[in-house]
Amino acid sequence: MPDAGYLTIGKVVKRLQGLYPDLTISKVRYLEDEGLLNPSRTPGGYRLYSQRDIKRLETILYLQKNRFLPLSVIKDELDRQDAGEPPAAAAESAVEASLVGPVDEEVVEKFHPIDRMPEVAGVSVSFVRQLSEAGVITLKRSPHGRDLVDGHDIGLIRTCDELRHYGIGPKNLRQYVNSANRESAMFEQALVVYAKKGGGVEAEVTDETRERFEQAFSRMLALTDVVRAELIRRLVHQSFKDMEG
């Protein structure tokens, strides 16, 4: 019988949603159906995830979100790791992802006083306020007048903190806030069109249709991230070539 270190699928999803907000139970089950995950099961059929299973899921999500790899390539990479082979160059996997790491479920599901950010997120209070002023996160005021941080923002705060090491601070991130505000309208319109193609917005909402909708949205985000990254990469490379010339 698995020990207390094992988690149910619901708890696994909650634990990782800080970094992967679009993660759902249906998506995890889909990954199981595709042969990428194989958790233990109780005699009653309930899934139980070990820490190794959770780390494997983190690797899959990271490679999907940040490397834009298809599941077939990710499965090959996982098979390489299981065989003790070195990771492929395109998938130097969870080493980078672990720089930020998952946010504990109890942290995600709460609002935290801003003065506890050094303990909870490993960053200074002033840095969190700078992120709030830049519009990256939104603070909530408690009935007693204290500024609170949404636990769902902890992963984002840690990511922004890592960017500081590369000289990208809260003020620089304001342009991403402005861009997100503009682009959200494009995504909303695209999703409306997608829903109509699938039978109209009045179609019955089920777990299956909701998962299909979320997968489409995640795919759109991934594809536009590829376009954005490639355009920026070209401009930066060209700038350095001009400097060399």
Side-chain angles (χ1 to χ4, degrees):
M1 178 67 184
D3 59 32
Y6 283 64
L7 297 179
T8 63
I9 189 171
K11 289 185 177 180
V12 170
V13 169
K14 287 185 177 180
R15 176 175 173 176
L16 298 180
Q17 277 181 331
L19 281 179
Y20 304 99
D22 296 328
L23 184 62
T24 63
I25 290 177
S26 297
K27 180 171 183 177
V28 177
R29 287 175 176 167
Y30 174 76
L31 294 174
E32 292 178 12
D33 292 340
E34 292 297 308
L36 282 88
L37 296 169
N38 186 28
S40 302
R41 289 180 181 265
T42 67
Y46 292 100
R47 299 167 174 81
L48 289 177
Y49 280 77
S50 67
Q51 293 304 309
R52 183 182 180 189
D53 294 326
I54 296 171
K55 189 64 178 178
R56 187 180 179 92
L57 175 57
E58 285 183 69
T59 300
I60 295 169
L61 297 174
Y62 175 78
L63 294 176
Q64 277 190 310
K65 180 178 180 181
N66 297 286
R67 299 296 189 186
F68 315 112
L69 299 180
L71 289 181
S72 59
V73 175
I74 294 176
K75 189 174 188 304
D76 289 342
E77 170 61 19
L78 293 174
D79 290 342
R80 287 169 62 89
Q81 293 183 16
D82 291 341
E85 299 177 13
E92 290 178 343
S93 57
V95 174
E96 295 180 33
S98 64
L99 293 176
V100 177
V103 181
D104 187 84
E105 173 189 348
E106 293 184 2
V107 173
V108 171
E109 296 301 323
K110 295 179 181 178
F111 281 89
H112 306 272
I114 194 170
D115 55 14
R116 291 195 61 230
M117 285 302 98
E119 174 188 346
V120 175
V123 300
S124 67
V125 172
S126 61
F127 179 66
V128 176
R129 290 200 182 280
Q130 289 172 22
L131 291 176
S132 175
E133 291 168 1
V136 177
I137 64 171
T138 300
L139 299 177
K140 182 178 180 180
R141 187 61 63 92
S142 75
H144 301 291
R146 303 177 70 186
D147 285 330
L148 304 176
V149 178
D150 190 335
H152 290 88
D153 288 336
I154 299 300
L156 177 59
I157 290 170
R158 290 175 178 171
T159 300
C160 294
D161 180 51
E162 184 178 344
L163 281 170
R164 283 199 296 176
H165 298 297
Y166 299 96
I168 301 176
K171 290 183 178 180
N172 304 115
L173 296 175
R174 192 186 300 274
Q175 61 185 304
Y176 287 94
V177 176
N178 295 335
S179 176
N181 289 334
R182 293 193 304 270
E183 292 183 32
S184 62
M186 176 187 71
F187 283 110
E188 289 169 6
Q189 181 60 35
L191 288 169
V192 169
V193 173
Y194 177 81
K196 289 181 178 179
K197 287 183 178 179
V201 293
E202 300 300 328
E204 182 181 358
V205 178
T206 64
D207 287 342
E208 182 180 354
T209 57
R210 186 181 294 107
E211 176 62 19
R212 201 160 56 234
F213 197 76
E214 289 177 350
Q215 288 182 354
F217 183 36
S218 296
R219 185 60 177 167
M220 279 188 266
L221 287 171
L223 291 171
T224 52
D225 281 345
V226 170
V227 174
R228 184 185 300 107
E230 183 59 28
L231 292 174
I232 294 174
R233 184 178 293 109
R234 290 181 183 181
L235 290 170
V236 172
H237 284 174
Q238 186 59 50
S239 176
F240 278 97
K241 286 181 180 179
D242 293 341
M243 290 172 61
E244 293 173 357

mmCIF file of all heavy atoms in Angstrom, residues 159-201:
data_model
loop_
_atom_site.group_PDB
_atom_site.id
_atom_site.type_symbol
_atom_site.label_atom_id
_atom_site.label_comp_id
_atom_site.label_asym_id
_atom_site.label_seq_id
_atom_site.Cartn_x
_atom_site.Cartn_y
_atom_site.Cartn_z
ATOM 1 N N THR A 159 8.910 33.881 -10.529
ATOM 2 C CA THR A 159 9.414 33.983 -11.909
ATOM 3 C C THR A 159 9.952 35.383 -12.166
ATOM 4 O O THR A 159 11.031 35.557 -12.746
ATOM 5 C CB THR A 159 8.301 33.655 -12.911
ATOM 6 O OG1 THR A 159 7.839 32.321 -12.685
ATOM 7 C CG2 THR A 159 8.807 33.776 -14.340
ATOM 8 N N CYS A 160 9.202 36.398 -11.730
ATOM 9 C CA CYS A 160 9.646 37.787 -11.906
ATOM 10 C C CYS A 160 10.922 38.047 -11.123
ATOM 11 O O CYS A 160 11.790 38.811 -11.571
ATOM 12 C CB CYS A 160 8.546 38.747 -11.456
ATOM 13 S SG CYS A 160 7.058 38.698 -12.478
ATOM 14 N N ASP A 161 11.037 37.419 -9.957
ATOM 15 C CA ASP A 161 12.248 37.586 -9.156
ATOM 16 C C ASP A 161 13.463 37.027 -9.898
ATOM 17 O O ASP A 161 14.540 37.628 -9.887
ATOM 18 C CB ASP A 161 12.073 36.873 -7.816
ATOM 19 C CG ASP A 161 13.294 37.008 -6.918
ATOM 20 O OD1 ASP A 161 13.751 38.145 -6.723
ATOM 21 O OD2 ASP A 161 13.779 35.974 -6.435
ATOM 22 N N GLU A 162 13.293 35.886 -10.567
ATOM 23 C CA GLU A 162 14.401 35.318 -11.329
ATOM 24 C C GLU A 162 14.792 36.224 -12.491
ATOM 25 O O GLU A 162 15.976 36.355 -12.818
ATOM 26 C CB GLU A 162 14.028 33.929 -11.864
ATOM 27 C CG GLU A 162 15.182 33.242 -12.583
ATOM 28 C CD GLU A 162 14.838 31.852 -13.069
ATOM 29 O OE1 GLU A 162 13.822 31.301 -12.605
ATOM 30 O OE2 GLU A 162 15.593 31.331 -13.903
ATOM 31 N N LEU A 163 13.807 36.866 -13.112
ATOM 32 C CA LEU A 163 14.110 37.766 -14.224
ATOM 33 C C LEU A 163 14.994 38.935 -13.788
ATOM 34 O O LEU A 163 15.753 39.480 -14.590
ATOM 35 C CB LEU A 163 12.803 38.301 -14.825
ATOM 36 C CG LEU A 163 12.056 37.359 -15.766
ATOM 37 C CD1 LEU A 163 10.679 37.915 -16.098
ATOM 38 C CD2 LEU A 163 12.866 37.126 -17.035
ATOM 39 N N ARG A 164 14.899 39.311 -12.507
ATOM 40 C CA ARG A 164 15.729 40.425 -12.015
ATOM 41 C C ARG A 164 17.215 40.133 -12.183
ATOM 42 O O ARG A 164 18.012 41.054 -12.374
ATOM 43 C CB ARG A 164 15.435 40.687 -10.536
ATOM 44 C CG ARG A 164 14.153 41.421 -10.282
ATOM 45 C CD ARG A 164 14.149 42.040 -8.901
ATOM 46 N NE ARG A 164 14.212 41.033 -7.842
ATOM 47 C CZ ARG A 164 14.292 41.350 -6.544
ATOM 48 N NH1 ARG A 164 14.319 42.612 -6.160
ATOM 49 N NH2 ARG A 164 14.316 40.389 -5.630
ATOM 50 N N HIS A 165 17.574 38.855 -12.116
ATOM 51 C CA HIS A 165 18.987 38.490 -12.250
ATOM 52 C C HIS A 165 19.501 38.763 -13.662
ATOM 53 O O HIS A 165 20.709 38.798 -13.889
ATOM 54 C CB HIS A 165 19.188 37.022 -11.886
ATOM 55 C CG HIS A 165 18.816 36.690 -10.469
ATOM 56 N ND1 HIS A 165 19.472 37.231 -9.387
ATOM 57 C CD2 HIS A 165 17.845 35.909 -9.952
ATOM 58 C CE1 HIS A 165 18.929 36.776 -8.268
ATOM 59 N NE2 HIS A 165 17.940 35.974 -8.589
ATOM 60 N N TYR A 166 18.581 38.941 -14.600
ATOM 61 C CA TYR A 166 18.958 39.246 -15.982
ATOM 62 C C TYR A 166 18.731 40.719 -16.313
ATOM 63 O O TYR A 166 18.764 41.116 -17.478
ATOM 64 C CB TYR A 166 18.168 38.356 -16.949
ATOM 65 C CG TYR A 166 18.441 36.889 -16.748
ATOM 66 C CD1 TYR A 166 17.600 36.111 -15.952
ATOM 67 C CD2 TYR A 166 19.533 36.272 -17.345
ATOM 68 C CE1 TYR A 166 17.850 34.766 -15.755
ATOM 69 C CE2 TYR A 166 19.795 34.927 -17.151
ATOM 70 C CZ TYR A 166 18.943 34.174 -16.365
ATOM 71 O OH TYR A 166 19.203 32.836 -16.162
ATOM 72 N N GLY A 167 18.470 41.515 -15.277
ATOM 73 C CA GLY A 167 18.291 42.946 -15.488
ATOM 74 C C GLY A 167 16.901 43.346 -15.933
ATOM 75 O O GLY A 167 16.690 44.466 -16.410
ATOM 76 N N ILE A 168 15.923 42.433 -15.793
ATOM 77 C CA ILE A 168 14.537 42.732 -16.183
ATOM 78 C C ILE A 168 13.715 42.871 -14.904
ATOM 79 O O ILE A 168 13.409 41.882 -14.231
ATOM 80 C CB ILE A 168 13.966 41.624 -17.083
ATOM 81 C CG1 ILE A 168 14.822 41.479 -18.349
ATOM 82 C CG2 ILE A 168 12.510 41.920 -17.440
ATOM 83 C CD1 ILE A 168 14.397 40.347 -19.261
ATOM 84 N N GLY A 169 13.382 44.111 -14.568
ATOM 85 C CA GLY A 169 12.676 44.390 -13.328
ATOM 86 C C GLY A 169 11.203 44.682 -13.530
ATOM 87 O O GLY A 169 10.696 44.640 -14.657
ATOM 88 N N PRO A 170 10.497 44.971 -12.434
ATOM 89 C CA PRO A 170 9.061 45.243 -12.506
ATOM 90 C C PRO A 170 8.676 46.322 -13.513
ATOM 91 O O PRO A 170 7.677 46.180 -14.225
ATOM 92 C CB PRO A 170 8.712 45.663 -11.079
ATOM 93 C CG PRO A 170 9.701 44.920 -10.234
ATOM 94 C CD PRO A 170 10.980 44.957 -11.029
ATOM 95 N N LYS A 171 9.445 47.398 -13.598
ATOM 96 C CA LYS A 171 9.118 48.459 -14.551
ATOM 97 C C LYS A 171 9.193 47.954 -15.991
ATOM 98 O O LYS A 171 8.392 48.350 -16.842
ATOM 99 C CB LYS A 171 10.052 49.650 -14.356
ATOM 100 C CG LYS A 171 9.805 50.422 -13.066
ATOM 101 C CD LYS A 171 10.714 51.641 -12.973
ATOM 102 C CE LYS A 171 10.439 52.432 -11.704
ATOM 103 N NZ LYS A 171 11.316 53.624 -11.590
ATOM 104 N N ASN A 172 10.167 47.075 -16.259
ATOM 105 C CA ASN A 172 10.278 46.498 -17.602
ATOM 106 C C ASN A 172 9.087 45.608 -17.928
ATOM 107 O O ASN A 172 8.671 45.494 -19.089
ATOM 108 C CB ASN A 172 11.560 45.661 -17.724
ATOM 109 C CG ASN A 172 12.808 46.465 -17.393
ATOM 110 O OD1 ASN A 172 13.481 46.171 -16.417
ATOM 111 N ND2 ASN A 172 13.108 47.479 -18.193
ATOM 112 N N LEU A 173 8.522 44.981 -16.897
ATOM 113 C CA LEU A 173 7.420 44.043 -17.114
ATOM 114 C C LEU A 173 6.091 44.746 -17.381
ATOM 115 O O LEU A 173 5.132 44.111 -17.801
ATOM 116 C CB LEU A 173 7.277 43.116 -15.903
ATOM 117 C CG LEU A 173 8.481 42.196 -15.637
ATOM 118 C CD1 LEU A 173 8.272 41.407 -14.354
ATOM 119 C CD2 LEU A 173 8.715 41.255 -16.806
ATOM 120 N N ARG A 174 6.056 46.054 -17.154
ATOM 121 C CA ARG A 174 4.816 46.791 -17.398
ATOM 122 C C ARG A 174 4.366 46.665 -18.847
ATOM 123 O O ARG A 174 3.174 46.620 -19.150
ATOM 124 C CB ARG A 174 5.006 48.272 -17.042
ATOM 125 C CG ARG A 174 3.702 49.057 -16.997
ATOM 126 C CD ARG A 174 3.987 50.541 -16.797
ATOM 127 N NE ARG A 174 4.710 50.795 -15.563
ATOM 128 C CZ ARG A 174 4.114 50.966 -14.391
ATOM 129 N NH1 ARG A 174 2.789 50.901 -14.308
ATOM 130 N NH2 ARG A 174 4.831 51.209 -13.312
ATOM 131 N N GLN A 175 5.343 46.580 -19.773
ATOM 132 C CA GLN A 175 4.985 46.437 -21.185
ATOM 133 C C GLN A 175 4.258 45.122 -21.444
ATOM 134 O O GLN A 175 3.420 45.034 -22.331
ATOM 135 C CB GLN A 175 6.230 46.535 -22.054
ATOM 136 C CG GLN A 175 7.280 45.467 -21.803
ATOM 137 C CD GLN A 175 8.536 45.696 -22.612
ATOM 138 O OE1 GLN A 175 8.476 45.789 -23.823
ATOM 139 N NE2 GLN A 175 9.669 45.804 -21.933
ATOM 140 N N TYR A 176 4.566 44.073 -20.643
ATOM 141 C CA TYR A 176 3.884 42.804 -20.810
ATOM 142 C C TYR A 176 2.454 42.893 -20.284
ATOM 143 O O TYR A 176 1.550 42.235 -20.803
ATOM 144 C CB TYR A 176 4.651 41.699 -20.089
ATOM 145 C CG TYR A 176 5.926 41.320 -20.795
ATOM 146 C CD1 TYR A 176 7.142 41.894 -20.452
ATOM 147 C CD2 TYR A 176 5.905 40.391 -21.832
ATOM 148 C CE1 TYR A 176 8.304 41.569 -21.116
ATOM 149 C CE2 TYR A 176 7.067 40.051 -22.502
ATOM 150 C CZ TYR A 176 8.263 40.643 -22.145
ATOM 151 O OH TYR A 176 9.408 40.316 -22.813
ATOM 152 N N VAL A 177 2.270 43.696 -19.242
ATOM 153 C CA VAL A 177 0.916 43.924 -18.735
ATOM 154 C C VAL A 177 0.078 44.628 -19.799
ATOM 155 O O VAL A 177 -1.060 44.228 -20.085
ATOM 156 C CB VAL A 177 0.955 44.764 -17.447
ATOM 157 C CG1 VAL A 177 -0.468 45.084 -16.971
ATOM 158 C CG2 VAL A 177 1.727 44.031 -16.355
ATOM 159 N N ASN A 178 0.646 45.681 -20.407
ATOM 160 C CA ASN A 178 -0.073 46.408 -21.455
ATOM 161 C C ASN A 178 -0.361 45.500 -22.643
ATOM 162 O O ASN A 178 -1.451 45.534 -23.229
ATOM 163 C CB ASN A 178 0.756 47.614 -21.909
ATOM 164 C CG ASN A 178 0.932 48.649 -20.806
ATOM 165 O OD1 ASN A 178 0.110 48.733 -19.899
ATOM 166 N ND2 ASN A 178 2.001 49.425 -20.878
ATOM 167 N N SER A 179 0.629 44.670 -22.999
ATOM 168 C CA SER A 179 0.452 43.753 -24.116
ATOM 169 C C SER A 179 -0.635 42.730 -23.815
ATOM 170 O O SER A 179 -1.470 42.410 -24.679
ATOM 171 C CB SER A 179 1.776 43.041 -24.418
ATOM 172 O OG SER A 179 1.610 42.079 -25.449
ATOM 173 N N ALA A 180 -0.637 42.203 -22.576
ATOM 174 C CA ALA A 180 -1.655 41.215 -22.195
ATOM 175 C C ALA A 180 -3.049 41.822 -22.255
ATOM 176 O O ALA A 180 -4.012 41.167 -22.693
ATOM 177 C CB ALA A 180 -1.362 40.687 -20.794
ATOM 178 N N ASN A 181 -3.172 43.078 -21.833
ATOM 179 C CA ASN A 181 -4.475 43.748 -21.881
ATOM 180 C C ASN A 181 -4.968 43.886 -23.321
ATOM 181 O O ASN A 181 -6.164 43.735 -23.602
ATOM 182 C CB ASN A 181 -4.375 45.125 -21.232
ATOM 183 C CG ASN A 181 -4.214 45.043 -19.731
ATOM 184 O OD1 ASN A 181 -4.638 44.075 -19.109
ATOM 185 N ND2 ASN A 181 -3.587 46.044 -19.131
ATOM 186 N N ARG A 182 -4.027 44.163 -24.240
ATOM 187 C CA ARG A 182 -4.414 44.275 -25.656
ATOM 188 C C ARG A 182 -4.734 42.913 -26.255
ATOM 189 O O ARG A 182 -5.732 42.752 -26.960
ATOM 190 C CB ARG A 182 -3.298 44.949 -26.454
ATOM 191 C CG ARG A 182 -3.047 46.405 -26.120
ATOM 192 C CD ARG A 182 -2.154 47.052 -27.177
ATOM 193 N NE ARG A 182 -0.891 46.331 -27.329
ATOM 194 C CZ ARG A 182 0.206 46.608 -26.634
ATOM 195 N NH1 ARG A 182 0.189 47.591 -25.746
ATOM 196 N NH2 ARG A 182 1.319 45.930 -26.838
ATOM 197 N N GLU A 183 -3.877 41.949 -25.985
ATOM 198 C CA GLU A 183 -4.015 40.638 -26.626
ATOM 199 C C GLU A 183 -5.199 39.842 -26.098
ATOM 200 O O GLU A 183 -5.719 38.965 -26.797
ATOM 201 C CB GLU A 183 -2.726 39.830 -26.439
ATOM 202 C CG GLU A 183 -1.548 40.392 -27.202
ATOM 203 C CD GLU A 183 -0.309 39.527 -27.048
ATOM 204 O OE1 GLU A 183 -0.458 38.288 -26.921
ATOM 205 O OE2 GLU A 183 0.800 40.087 -27.042
ATOM 206 N N SER A 184 -5.622 40.098 -24.881
ATOM 207 C CA SER A 184 -6.735 39.330 -24.317
ATOM 208 C C SER A 184 -7.980 39.444 -25.183
ATOM 209 O O SER A 184 -8.720 38.465 -25.348
ATOM 210 C CB SER A 184 -7.029 39.804 -22.886
ATOM 211 O OG SER A 184 -7.431 41.173 -22.868
ATOM 212 N N ALA A 185 -8.205 40.632 -25.750
ATOM 213 C CA ALA A 185 -9.366 40.821 -26.625
ATOM 214 C C ALA A 185 -9.255 39.937 -27.868
ATOM 215 O O ALA A 185 -10.259 39.366 -28.332
ATOM 216 C CB ALA A 185 -9.486 42.289 -27.036
ATOM 217 N N MET A 186 -8.031 39.802 -28.396
ATOM 218 C CA MET A 186 -7.825 38.942 -29.564
ATOM 219 C C MET A 186 -8.138 37.491 -29.224
ATOM 220 O O MET A 186 -8.816 36.788 -29.996
ATOM 221 C CB MET A 186 -6.378 39.066 -30.044
ATOM 222 C CG MET A 186 -6.015 38.139 -31.197
ATOM 223 S SD MET A 186 -4.244 38.169 -31.601
ATOM 224 C CE MET A 186 -3.554 37.312 -30.168
ATOM 225 N N PHE A 187 -7.669 37.034 -28.065
ATOM 226 C CA PHE A 187 -7.913 35.653 -27.671
ATOM 227 C C PHE A 187 -9.398 35.407 -27.398
ATOM 228 O O PHE A 187 -9.942 34.351 -27.745
ATOM 229 C CB PHE A 187 -7.091 35.302 -26.429
ATOM 230 C CG PHE A 187 -5.637 35.050 -26.720
ATOM 231 C CD1 PHE A 187 -4.669 35.954 -26.306
ATOM 232 C CD2 PHE A 187 -5.232 33.922 -27.413
ATOM 233 C CE1 PHE A 187 -3.327 35.728 -26.576
ATOM 234 C CE2 PHE A 187 -3.901 33.687 -27.679
ATOM 235 C CZ PHE A 187 -2.945 34.591 -27.265
ATOM 236 N N GLU A 188 -10.053 36.371 -26.766
ATOM 237 C CA GLU A 188 -11.485 36.223 -26.501
ATOM 238 C C GLU A 188 -12.255 36.061 -27.802
ATOM 239 O O GLU A 188 -13.141 35.204 -27.914
ATOM 240 C CB GLU A 188 -11.992 37.439 -25.723
ATOM 241 C CG GLU A 188 -11.499 37.501 -24.286
ATOM 242 C CD GLU A 188 -11.792 38.826 -23.620
ATOM 243 O OE1 GLU A 188 -12.486 39.665 -24.250
ATOM 244 O OE2 GLU A 188 -11.340 39.047 -22.493
ATOM 245 N N GLN A 189 -11.927 36.888 -28.804
ATOM 246 C CA GLN A 189 -12.605 36.799 -30.092
ATOM 247 C C GLN A 189 -12.298 35.465 -30.774
ATOM 248 O O GLN A 189 -13.185 34.825 -31.350
ATOM 249 C CB GLN A 189 -12.160 37.954 -30.993
ATOM 250 C CG GLN A 189 -12.825 37.967 -32.367
ATOM 251 C CD GLN A 189 -14.330 38.091 -32.279
ATOM 252 O OE1 GLN A 189 -14.862 38.767 -31.392
ATOM 253 N NE2 GLN A 189 -15.043 37.419 -33.180
ATOM 254 N N ALA A 190 -11.047 35.037 -30.699
ATOM 255 C CA ALA A 190 -10.654 33.773 -31.324
ATOM 256 C C ALA A 190 -11.381 32.597 -30.686
ATOM 257 O O ALA A 190 -11.804 31.659 -31.373
ATOM 258 C CB ALA A 190 -9.144 33.584 -31.218
ATOM 259 N N LEU A 191 -11.560 32.644 -29.369
ATOM 260 C CA LEU A 191 -12.245 31.561 -28.681
ATOM 261 C C LEU A 191 -13.731 31.538 -29.007
ATOM 262 O O LEU A 191 -14.343 30.470 -29.085
ATOM 263 C CB LEU A 191 -12.031 31.691 -27.169
ATOM 264 C CG LEU A 191 -10.613 31.353 -26.694
ATOM 265 C CD1 LEU A 191 -10.430 31.761 -25.239
ATOM 266 C CD2 LEU A 191 -10.333 29.867 -26.861
ATOM 267 N N VAL A 192 -14.303 32.714 -29.209
ATOM 268 C CA VAL A 192 -15.709 32.772 -29.625
ATOM 269 C C VAL A 192 -15.877 32.119 -30.996
ATOM 270 O O VAL A 192 -16.793 31.324 -31.219
ATOM 271 C CB VAL A 192 -16.208 34.235 -29.664
ATOM 272 C CG1 VAL A 192 -17.568 34.313 -30.364
ATOM 273 C CG2 VAL A 192 -16.306 34.799 -28.254
ATOM 274 N N VAL A 193 -14.976 32.447 -31.917
ATOM 275 C CA VAL A 193 -15.013 31.846 -33.255
ATOM 276 C C VAL A 193 -14.828 30.340 -33.163
ATOM 277 O O VAL A 193 -15.531 29.563 -33.813
ATOM 278 C CB VAL A 193 -13.921 32.463 -34.156
ATOM 279 C CG1 VAL A 193 -13.856 31.724 -35.490
ATOM 280 C CG2 VAL A 193 -14.205 33.948 -34.380
ATOM 281 N N TYR A 194 -13.895 29.899 -32.323
ATOM 282 C CA TYR A 194 -13.630 28.468 -32.153
ATOM 283 C C TYR A 194 -14.863 27.758 -31.603
ATOM 284 O O TYR A 194 -15.233 26.667 -32.044
ATOM 285 C CB TYR A 194 -12.445 28.267 -31.210
ATOM 286 C CG TYR A 194 -12.135 26.826 -30.910
ATOM 287 C CD1 TYR A 194 -11.401 26.055 -31.808
ATOM 288 C CD2 TYR A 194 -12.573 26.235 -29.726
ATOM 289 C CE1 TYR A 194 -11.116 24.728 -31.535
ATOM 290 C CE2 TYR A 194 -12.298 24.911 -29.443
ATOM 291 C CZ TYR A 194 -11.560 24.160 -30.349
ATOM 292 O OH TYR A 194 -11.297 22.837 -30.075
ATOM 293 N N ALA A 195 -15.535 28.388 -30.628
ATOM 294 C CA ALA A 195 -16.729 27.787 -30.039
ATOM 295 C C ALA A 195 -17.846 27.652 -31.066
ATOM 296 O O ALA A 195 -18.547 26.642 -31.115
ATOM 297 C CB ALA A 195 -17.206 28.630 -28.850
ATOM 298 N N LYS A 196 -17.997 28.675 -31.916
ATOM 299 C CA LYS A 196 -19.045 28.619 -32.940
ATOM 300 C C LYS A 196 -18.763 27.511 -33.955
ATOM 301 O O LYS A 196 -19.669 26.838 -34.429
ATOM 302 C CB LYS A 196 -19.151 29.963 -33.641
ATOM 303 C CG LYS A 196 -19.755 31.058 -32.761
ATOM 304 C CD LYS A 196 -19.874 32.376 -33.505
ATOM 305 C CE LYS A 196 -20.527 33.437 -32.637
ATOM 306 N NZ LYS A 196 -20.633 34.735 -33.329
ATOM 307 N N LYS A 197 -17.503 27.332 -34.288
ATOM 308 C CA LYS A 197 -17.148 26.252 -35.217
ATOM 309 C C LYS A 197 -17.466 24.890 -34.624
ATOM 310 O O LYS A 197 -17.733 23.939 -35.339
ATOM 311 C CB LYS A 197 -15.658 26.322 -35.559
ATOM 312 C CG LYS A 197 -15.280 27.465 -36.481
ATOM 313 C CD LYS A 197 -13.805 27.418 -36.814
ATOM 314 C CE LYS A 197 -13.415 28.531 -37.785
ATOM 315 N NZ LYS A 197 -11.968 28.502 -38.094
ATOM 316 N N GLY A 198 -17.434 24.823 -33.275
ATOM 317 C CA GLY A 198 -17.700 23.550 -32.619
ATOM 318 C C GLY A 198 -19.163 23.325 -32.327
ATOM 319 O O GLY A 198 -19.514 22.410 -31.588
ATOM 320 N N GLY A 199 -20.041 24.161 -32.868
ATOM 321 C CA GLY A 199 -21.466 23.941 -32.679
ATOM 322 C C GLY A 199 -22.183 25.071 -31.984
ATOM 323 O O GLY A 199 -23.348 24.955 -31.653
ATOM 324 N N GLY A 200 -21.464 26.181 -31.751
ATOM 325 C CA GLY A 200 -22.127 27.343 -31.173
ATOM 326 C C GLY A 200 -21.887 27.482 -29.684
ATOM 327 O O GLY A 200 -21.635 26.510 -28.973
ATOM 328 N N VAL A 201 -21.974 28.705 -29.200
ATOM 329 C CA VAL A 201 -21.692 28.986 -27.799
ATOM 330 C C VAL A 201 -22.762 28.424 -26.877
ATOM 331 O O VAL A 201 -22.569 28.362 -25.675
ATOM 332 C CB VAL A 201 -21.572 30.510 -27.572
ATOM 333 C CG1 VAL A 201 -20.355 31.053 -28.281
ATOM 334 C CG2 VAL A 201 -22.828 31.243 -28.034
#
